[in-house]
Amino acid sequence: MSTPTPAVEVKKGLEGVIVDECAVSKVMPETNSLTYRGYAVQDLADQCSFEEVAFLLWHGELPNKTQLTTFNERERSLRGLSKGLVDSIRLYPKSAHPMDTVRTGVSYLGMEECSKDEESWSPKDAFKIPAGATLSNYDKAISLLAKIPTIIAADYRCRKGLEPIAPKKELTMSENFFHMCFGEVPHKDIVKAFDASLTLYAEHGFNASTFTSRVVASTMSDLHSATVAGIGSLKGPLHGGANEQVMHMLKEVNDPAKAEQWMLDALKNKRKVMGFGHRVYKTGDSRVPTMDKYGRKVAALKGETKWHAISDILKDVMLKQKDIHPNLDFPAGPAYYLMGFEIDMFTPIFVMARTTGWSAHVFEQAANNRIIRPLTKYTGPVQRSVVSLDKRG
Ligand code: COA
């Protein structure tokens, strides 16, 4: 007689499960708020550069001037790609999605940097390396932060049959990204809107891609592998891929006069509307008002208000019909579009930002590691005996 399986509750999607402690960020659905290391994300977006936020996520404190200078100098010195990587980007299939090309580019970097164990750089007395990181691992995190934008921009230009543009050391990360994509730096308010979006996208607790990266890190694999896995997880439309789908949706609607009916039809057809809903926030996403504010500034500068007019109606109808709130991807999609980026670059831009959060979590995981290995409730056949091939009929 087989022993009855004890009743177990399956937490589908790991909903509500607390799997570890974390000091990087706090998501507070009860107040629709998010803090990085104790600072409200909207304050960081308004008052700090993305580079300062990267430092904060990794070190737990905002940098002083000396620390920021040392950090920026290292990041700016690592932006260039090897000839081998640029040549390989030229060979990527032109039909590939940029999330696949950035994933492949990071994987290539992992091969180049796997032997970068000799410590060729040190922050000297400017700051200490965070707990859980070695000097070489920390430097690899800066290298990923510095090179991922260069990979995305080079791939964008190669796909268009253009020559990649070399990074410039005198520019900030955000300015340099525009320079490498388009050959020019736009109005300072557009750069600020982009920079703020990177801060808003940088970190968000144990979301799917961060959890994926931590699972990889928990096996004591390497930072590049954890980042590649994070990119794979972020690509999905239920996670980072939603910012692209939002813009496809706005273009499908295309006319504010059609927006209400479009949403009513979508809901009647039980369509998942991209850019709405969240596993943790149920009454609003704290990042939305800040991204919306910057997106509208870009729209005003560009003299194009149609996308926000459509967005406003979609949001109102969704709230009235289902009480489901927009998430960060909803205002980010049209903002990136108005900045001039092609839709399939939106999620790679998210990667540029989230590499900071992934690395912070990889360091935190390593500082107090235990391999992540959950269980399942088995629902397959009961135990049985193998019948030899000639007797299986
Ligand atoms: N459009 C329409 N209905 C939605 C919805 C959306 N975007 N998001 C949630 N719902 C509905 C679900 O259909 C479900 O309704 P039901 O109870 O009648 O079946 C209910 O709200 C609960 O949603 P659920 O899918 O269980 O939430 P989840 O926590 O598993 O998933 C998301 C969260 C984010 C994956 C989900 O809201 C979604 O798919 N959103 C669209 C993609 C997106 O914008 N992703 C970016 C997240 S930052």
Side-chain angles (χ1 to χ4, degrees):
M1 224 172 74
S2 65
T3 332
T5 317
V8 285
E9 190 191 350
V10 175
K11 299 276 189 180
K12 192 85 175 156
L14 294 181
E15 184 167 4
V17 177
I18 295 173
V19 295
D20 207 340
E21 295 177 342
C22 175
V24 184
S25 66
K26 188 174 183 196
V27 185
M28 290 162 281
E30 53 299 346
T31 49
N32 302 335
S33 49
L34 166 67
T35 54
Y36 297 168
R37 306 282 189 184
Y39 294 103
V41 70
Q42 61 273 21
D43 295 346
L44 293 168
D46 283 341
Q47 295 172 42
C48 299
S49 65
F50 174 58
E51 289 88 335
E52 287 171 81
V53 172
F55 187 97
L56 169 72
L57 290 171
W58 293 350
H59 293 267
E61 297 296 337
L62 283 165
N64 62 28
K65 280 188 189 156
T66 314
Q67 291 170 331
L68 186 61
T69 303
T70 306
F71 184 78
N72 282 348
E73 273 172 5
R74 187 59 180 162
E75 182 274 314
R76 289 172 188 214
S77 74
L78 291 172
R79 287 176 182 171
L81 307 180
S82 69
K83 182 174 179 306
L85 178 47
V86 176
D87 286 348
S88 90
I89 291 172
R90 290 184 205 277
L91 295 175
Y92 291 164
K94 298 285 172 281
S95 56
H97 190 285
M99 279 301 274
D100 295 334
T101 59
V102 69
R103 190 193 62 222
T104 306
V106 171
S107 201
Y108 190 105
L109 267 185
M111 294 187 286
E112 286 188 326
E113 296 188 340
C114 67
S115 58
K116 195 182 169 187
D117 283 332
E118 78 288 357
E119 293 164 357
S120 54
W121 169 84
S122 125
K124 302 205 175 67
D125 297 332
F127 51 80
K128 286 199 174 75
I129 299 303
T134 59
L135 182 54
S136 73
N137 222 20
Y138 179 81
D139 204 27
K140 285 176 189 173
I142 307 185
S143 182
L144 283 166
L145 178 69
K147 290 187 176 71
I148 284 174
T150 319
I151 293 172
I152 296 168
D155 174 61
Y156 162 72
R157 292 190 62 87
C158 289
R159 272 186 295 133
K160 296 188 93 60
L162 300 166
E163 264 304 295
I165 298 177
K168 275 190 180 171
K169 281 187 186 168
E170 63 271 30
L171 299 179
T172 65
M173 279 194 70
S174 292
E175 288 168 342
N176 182 53
F177 187 63
F178 281 102
H179 155 73
M180 291 190 298
C181 289
F182 308 126
E184 58 186 33
V185 178
H187 189 283
K188 66 174 179 27
D189 289 352
I190 294 181
V191 175
K192 176 61 195 174
F194 183 76
D195 203 67
S197 82
L198 296 182
T199 291
L200 296 172
Y201 267 136
E203 161 60 13
H204 209 207
F206 269 38
N207 59 85
S209 58
T210 300
F211 186 61
T212 303
S213 294
R214 282 188 82 130
V215 171
V216 174
S218 83
T219 69
M220 294 183 73
S221 183
D222 61 289
L223 181 65
H224 290 80
S225 298
T227 306
V228 167
I231 295 171
S233 170
L234 191 74
K235 184 184 174 193
L238 296 191
H239 190 10
N243 61 8
E244 298 183 9
Q245 298 309 320
V246 165
M247 198 59 224
H248 287 303
M249 170 179 73
L250 295 178
K251 289 188 88 173
E252 188 186 322
V253 180
N254 203 37
D255 178 356
K258 294 185 182 151
E260 180 176 5
Q261 195 55 50
W262 186 94
M263 182 59 100
L264 292 172
D265 290 345
L267 295 177
K268 197 169 105 197
N269 295 326
K270 302 249 170 267
R271 195 168 155 173
K272 268 264 162 86
V273 186
M274 294 294 136
F276 285 92
H278 200 272
R279 168 59 62 78
V280 185
Y281 300 118
K282 295 298 178 197
T283 57
D285 175 337
S286 61
R287 303 165 298 175
V288 167
T290 310
M291 192 64 242
D292 193 52
K293 174 180 77 178
Y294 285 109
R296 281 173 204 271
K297 274 190 191 168
V298 178
L301 275 166
K302 295 277 179 181
E304 171 59 281
T305 52
K306 179 169 91 172
W307 307 117
H308 286 93
I310 297 172
S311 301
D312 286 344
I313 297 166
L314 295 178
K315 184 186 77 179
D316 289 348
V317 180
M318 179 62 118
L319 279 171
K320 194 165 158 208
Q321 297 291 321
K322 299 270 284 182
D323 199 24
I324 297 176
H325 291 251
N327 56 55
L328 175 57
D329 295 320
F330 192 65
Y336 288 149
Y337 190 72
L338 288 163
M339 288 173 196
F341 295 111
E342 291 189 356
I343 297 176
D344 59 9
M345 288 178 80
F346 297 0
T347 318
I349 291 170
F350 193 161
V351 172
M352 269 174 71
R354 191 54 66 87
T355 185
T356 56
W358 293 332
S359 295
H361 281 270
V362 168
F363 300 154
E364 188 176 69
Q365 183 69 35
N368 191 8
N369 188 46
R370 189 156 189 228
I371 190 167
I372 298 171
R373 205 302 185 193
L375 297 174
T376 60
K377 178 180 174 183
Y378 179 70
T379 57
V382 291
Q383 197 159 344
R384 46 194 170 155
S385 306
V386 176
V387 177
S388 62
L389 184 57
D390 57 336
K391 293 190 182 141
R392 271 180 240 158

